[in-house]
Amino acid sequence: MSELGYRPCVGVMLVNSEGRVFVGRRIDNKEGDWWQMPQGGVDEGEDLKEAALRELAEETGAQAAHVSLIRQTEEPIRYDLPEELIGKLWGGKYRGQEQVWFLARFSGTDDDIDLQAHDPAEFCDWKWVDAEQLPDLIVPFKKRVYRAVLEEFRALI
């Protein structure tokens, strides 16, 4: 595992006008009631802000016209996959992800959210939640990441 690197990734904490955060339930996670914020890999040579807006549009249907990026994390946040997942995700090339997170303000309406905007869809359901709930909703191996993101963005939410 120590020979494997980290997958470059972005994540978006999308906050609505009420200060609530978007979370989606992954289609491919059948083993729990886990919810997560939009995130995804960065393409070779892709700008991080562009990657964040692309991933957000793919996963939520939220278009750039309704999204303002407010801030990004000071430093990337890394996490390791649990042993049972190493070699099974991302072609077996990575031990985890190195994520740059963005806080984004959403000015659209719930009708502007479209989980089918990209084929294949990543989420089967979505909701707005209080930011403080985030660490309790994510899979256990990402809890530290969500606590760090929440801590860094809390004052701006």
Side-chain angles (χ1 to χ4, degrees), residues 8 13 25 28 36 42 47 57 78 84 94 100 106 112 114 121 130 137 139:
M13 178 186 273
R25 186 184 347 216
D28 61 0
Q36 72 177 47
V42 177
D47 175 80
R78 286 184 175 179
E84 66 270 14
Y94 304 103
V100 174
F106 181 64
D112 295 314
D114 178 9
D130 292 330
L137 298 173
V139 292

Side-chain angles (χ1 to χ4, degrees), residues 4-5 23-24 33 35 56 65 88 98 103 110 134 136 153 155:
L4 297 175
V23 291
D33 189 26
W35 298 76
L56 188 62
K88 295 180 181 170
E98 180 174 272
L103 174 64
D110 287 0
L134 291 168
D136 297 328
F153 293 156

Side-chain angles (χ1 to χ4, degrees), residues 90-142:
W90 314 308
K93 298 190 307 190
Y94 304 103
R95 68 189 282 178
Q97 295 195 98
E98 180 174 272
Q99 301 177 316
V100 174
W101 281 87
F102 290 85
L103 174 64
R105 201 75 65 210
F106 181 64
S107 60
T109 68
D110 287 0
D111 291 336
D112 295 314
I113 302 293
D114 178 9
L115 300 184
Q116 304 302 315
H118 187 261
D119 187 25
E122 292 211 23
F123 298 131
C124 59
D125 198 7
W126 71 276
K127 60 185 176 181
W128 297 106
V129 300
D130 292 330
E132 297 300 326
Q133 289 181 271
L134 291 168
D136 297 328
L137 298 173
I138 190 65
V139 292
F141 65 91
K142 292 184 185 177

Side-chain angles (χ1 to χ4, degrees), residues 131-157:
E132 297 300 326
Q133 289 181 271
L134 291 168
D136 297 328
L137 298 173
I138 190 65
V139 292
F141 65 91
K142 292 184 185 177
K143 286 185 184 297
R144 182 187 58 78
V145 172
Y146 273 39
R147 284 186 195 108
V149 171
L150 181 57
E151 185 63 31
E152 192 159 343
F153 293 156
R154 182 178 278 122
L156 299 173
I157 295 172

